[in-house]
Amino acid sequence: MNKNDKNDAPKKLNNSNLMLGFFWIIIVLILLNGLLFPFINQHKIIKTDYGTFMQCVNEGKVLQVELKDDYVYFTALKDNDTVFYQTGDMNDPLLVENLTKADSPNESGKIAFDKTIPKQNSPVLNFFLWWILPGVFFYLIWMYAQKKMMGGGGDKGNFLSFGKSDAKIYADSQIDTTFADVAGQDEAKDELMELVDFLHNPKKYTRIGATLPKGALLVGPPGTGKTLIARAVAGEAKVPFFAISGSEFVQMFVGMGAAKVRDLFKQANEKAPCIIFIDEIDAIGKRRDNLYGGNDEREQTLNQLLTEMDGFDGSKGVVILGATNQPDSLDKALLRPGRFDRRIQMELPDLEGRKAIFQVHLKNVQHEDINLDLVGRLTVGSSGADIANFVNEAALRAVRLNKDVVSTSDIEESIETVMAGGQKKGSVISPEERKIISYHEIGHAMVAAMQTHSAPVQKITIIPRTSGALGYTMQVDSGEKYLMSKQEMLNRIATLTGGRSAEEIMCNVETTGASNDIEQATRLARAMITQYGMSDKYDMMQLETVNNRYLGDDTSATCSSGTAAEVDNEVMQIIRDAHEKAKKIISEHKKEMDAAAEYLIKKETITGEEFMEIINMK
Ligand code: ADP
Ligand code: MG
Ligand code: ZN
């Protein structure tokens, strides 16, 4: 879906003229060469001796003679062909007399002869060639190297524009993306609508004395449509769009990035009203600190950006959009009013948002009626980019199966494929292991089913996946959940321990199959105590802080090491209790476990409804 990237004849605004300069120098050199060494003769010339030459003259075969440098060039008839010859000049005093006397097959009957006077270069040209040209050449090279090293300023370039940053900034003048392409994100759209209105009609705002925000910062997890919505703003406002990524400013030489920023704003001012979009702005906007040793280039670039944002006239209609998924790492100066004073939050979509995003992307593929509610519920926690990917994978799957349209099952399968890996059909698993895997998965499902406050089981499968999962139990909430209670978290941990509990009770083994369950259960239990204040002992004390809200759940401890050791004990206690509870549930339902596991071994994949039927029947 690259339709957003289409731009009609992007105009290259700033082009390094360096190559052009060298090109001209080379042309000049070639021309001079042409002056000095004209091509004497393009014919094939046969070398011969003076005797042969005299013989030809005497026999009356020679047409034309030309003396040049120390050679005699002559043409003679040989078997009715004109042949070109060359021979040495003997300074023969009788040559002229001989030539005058001799006959020739010429029309005039006489040999035409001549001596070329060697051309002397004018002293001026010589001087230019040997002194000025090399001088200029080396001066230019030296200048260029100097500018590169010093990262010289951008705008005082000479006729070859050295030192101008080679920022490849394209102003897209026509963008097809509109707000209709961005599903959900209504709050963000509302806020950005105001900017669009401002770009359409700045007078409406300036008349009353209002200054609109110069910049807005789009903040949110990766794939939530930040880049997309920035393009949509430009598409809606129908103004030029300068898009550049923060990392493009960070150059090898100190000062180049700053020059690029200067260039960018200069061009934008000429094109106002327009939008400057700096994607991944954290690449230059990171907090300046001396703690870990500064980065000169980045700091200079940031300083230049701050200066430019202060310097330009907001009423002209230049709006700066930035996007980042690490807002906490940005320099405070960048966020103060007058710069990126508006912060637009792009969150992961909720159920309605996900359904809307599915709809937007399904427009691009042939599909039958899709159960949007189901696929929306299956994709809890997915971003817009994930959903775009699911739809595309489903379309690919439909093609693989030789179908004309995408169906709900294609999307379901593509979601599973992206989340758990593709089905691994070839692997042979022994009956003994299949039995253990079945009991393990049924164990999860059973514990989930026997607790209230637990999401219903959607699907149980023991088809191995390329990700290494040997089977899985899928639970899907019926609606959208924004909060999770302590009881729900404890139930979730119990469900996670259900797999191992079933192994122990039903098969009398403990296998490595539970490793992922253990990881998840531990993370959840730890978060309950350290982040959510769900332990009696520590009450509402924060013991861990999340490093980056939008990028993974990487945390660091904020408590002393003594407390950390006690936290470990608390975590262990939560998991132990949950494990006990799961074991109790399974011991009380051994019969149902057997029936369900047997059915699963036979069918490999069963739905939640089938499972509920089996366990309720008994
Ligand atoms: P970000 O810049 O936030 O990381 P992008 O804007 O690059 O994310 O989004 C990547 C892709 O995901 C988009 O090109 C689009 O196809 C899809 N996408 C993301 N959010 C949405 C949305 N709200 N509506 C429709 N498509 C979306
Ligand atoms: Mg992006
Ligand atoms: Zn498991």
Side-chain angles (χ1 to χ4, degrees), residues 2 10 18 112 122 132 138 150 188 209 280 297 314 319 326 334 354 380 448 468 475 497 501 503 530 545 584 605:
N2 272 343
L18 181 66
S122 80
I132 303 289
F138 285 113
M150 309 275 293
E280 317 290 351
E297 163 63 358
V319 166
Q326 302 179 53
L334 204 53
R354 291 195 297 274
V380 179
Q475 280 176 277
T497 58
S501 307
E503 290 175 7
T530 60
T545 155
K584 184 160 169 278
T605 300

Side-chain angles (χ1 to χ4, degrees), residues 539-567:
D539 203 55
M540 285 181 59
M541 180 176 172
Q542 188 200 37
L543 301 167
E544 260 179 16
T545 155
V546 179
N547 293 338
N548 191 321
R549 207 145 46 95
Y550 296 126
L551 302 174
D553 33 21
D554 176 27
T555 55
S556 26
T558 55
C559 58
S560 71
S561 56
T563 314
E566 280 181 58
V567 166

Side-chain angles (χ1 to χ4, degrees), residues 25 45 101 103 137 221 254 282 284 338 351 373 404 406 420 451 457 470 529 558 603:
I25 288 179
I45 295 176
K101 274 197 300 197
D103 289 328
F137 193 71
V254 173
D282 42 278
I284 43 169
L351 180 58
D373 198 61
D404 295 330
V406 171
Q451 297 176 121
V457 174
L470 294 169
I529 295 166
T558 55
K603 296 276 246 185

Side-chain angles (χ1 to χ4, degrees), residues 503-524:
E503 290 175 7
E504 289 168 314
I505 292 165
M506 307 304 295
C507 311
N508 212 7
V509 287
E510 287 165 292
T511 72
T512 51
S515 63
N516 184 256
D517 303 333
I518 291 171
E519 193 182 320
Q520 285 192 49
T522 309
R523 197 184 310 141
L524 208 56

Side-chain angles (χ1 to χ4, degrees), residues 49-349:
D49 57 278
Y50 202 74
T52 313
F53 169 50
M54 281 329 297
Q55 198 184 343
C56 287
V57 172
N58 292 336
E59 286 173 4
K61 288 182 187 166
V62 176
L63 292 159
Q64 201 181 2
V65 175
E66 187 173 340
L67 276 84
K68 188 164 192 248
D69 301 331
D70 284 335
Y71 293 103
V72 180
Y73 297 91
F74 67 100
T75 52
L77 273 190
K78 189 183 177 191
D79 306 331
N80 281 335
D81 271 342
T82 309
V83 184
F84 292 81
Y85 291 102
Q86 179 199 39
T87 186
D89 186 357
M90 302 284 284
N91 282 328
D92 181 357
L94 294 176
L95 181 62
V96 176
E97 197 185 329
N98 281 338
L99 290 177
T100 324
K101 274 197 300 197
D103 289 328
S104 165
N106 260 339
E107 279 163 23
S108 62
K110 287 286 161 209
I111 299 174
F113 61 94
D114 190 14
K115 182 173 171 106
T116 312
I117 302 157
K119 198 154 63 192
Q120 271 291 322
N121 283 332
S122 80
V124 178
L125 186 64
N126 263 340
F127 180 73
F128 179 74
L129 267 181
W130 293 107
W131 297 103
I132 303 289
L133 201 62
V136 169
F137 193 71
F138 285 113
Y139 174 71
L140 291 180
I141 289 181
W142 177 77
M143 278 264 292
Y144 180 66
Q146 191 81 351
K147 291 270 177 173
K148 268 259 172 198
M149 267 162 18
M150 309 275 293
D155 12 31
K156 39 181 196 298
N158 54 27
F159 77 106
L160 287 177
S161 292
F162 289 118
K164 262 248 169 87
S165 74
D166 53 352
K168 281 199 197 62
I169 305 162
Y170 296 93
D172 276 344
S173 45
Q174 220 187 3
I175 288 183
D176 303 338
T177 315
T178 62
F179 281 154
D181 295 310
V182 187
Q185 307 292 2
D186 292 330
E187 300 77 16
K189 279 193 222 168
D190 281 347
E191 291 206 50
L192 290 167
M193 215 47 217
E194 202 182 16
L195 286 183
V196 171
D197 192 43
F198 170 64
L199 288 167
H200 273 162
N201 195 357
K203 284 216 184 76
K204 186 168 129 194
Y205 293 84
T206 47
R207 201 186 310 133
I208 206 167
T211 38
L212 245 90
K214 283 182 184 173
L217 191 64
L218 299 159
V219 171
T224 43
K226 299 183 292 295
T227 308
L228 183 69
I229 209 167
R231 289 185 69 83
V233 172
E236 292 281 340
K238 300 192 175 56
V239 296
F241 184 66
F242 293 88
I244 188 162
S245 169
S247 60
E248 282 175 55
F249 288 114
V250 183
Q251 303 274 320
M252 179 141 55
F253 300 104
V254 173
M256 291 291 273
K260 223 171 208 183
V261 171
R262 245 191 321 265
D263 262 10
L264 176 63
F265 278 83
K266 203 168 134 230
Q267 290 172 44
N269 262 322
E270 286 160 11
K271 286 238 162 185
C274 67
I275 292 173
I276 298 178
F277 175 49
I278 305 176
D279 209 352
E280 317 290 351
I281 197 168
D282 42 278
I284 43 169
K286 275 221 185 74
R287 211 173 299 140
R288 289 162 291 185
D289 53 30
N290 300 320
L291 212 58
Y292 307 108
N295 174 333
D296 277 349
E297 163 63 358
R298 216 195 58 223
E299 285 182 13
Q300 276 204 22
T301 309
L302 175 58
N303 282 332
Q304 188 65 40
L305 181 65
L306 298 176
T307 314
E308 293 289 347
M309 286 190 79
D310 280 345
F312 80 83
D313 179 7
S315 61
K316 250 180 120 179
V318 179
V319 166
I320 307 167
L321 294 178
T324 181
N325 40 35
Q326 302 179 53
D328 303 330
S329 72
L330 288 184
D331 199 283
K332 291 287 170 286
L334 204 53
L335 300 171
R336 77 137 168 78
R339 293 189 185 128
F340 285 113
D341 37 11
R342 223 176 243 198
R343 186 187 255 227
I344 295 171
Q345 211 76 30
M346 304 281 288
E347 290 301 340
L348 286 174

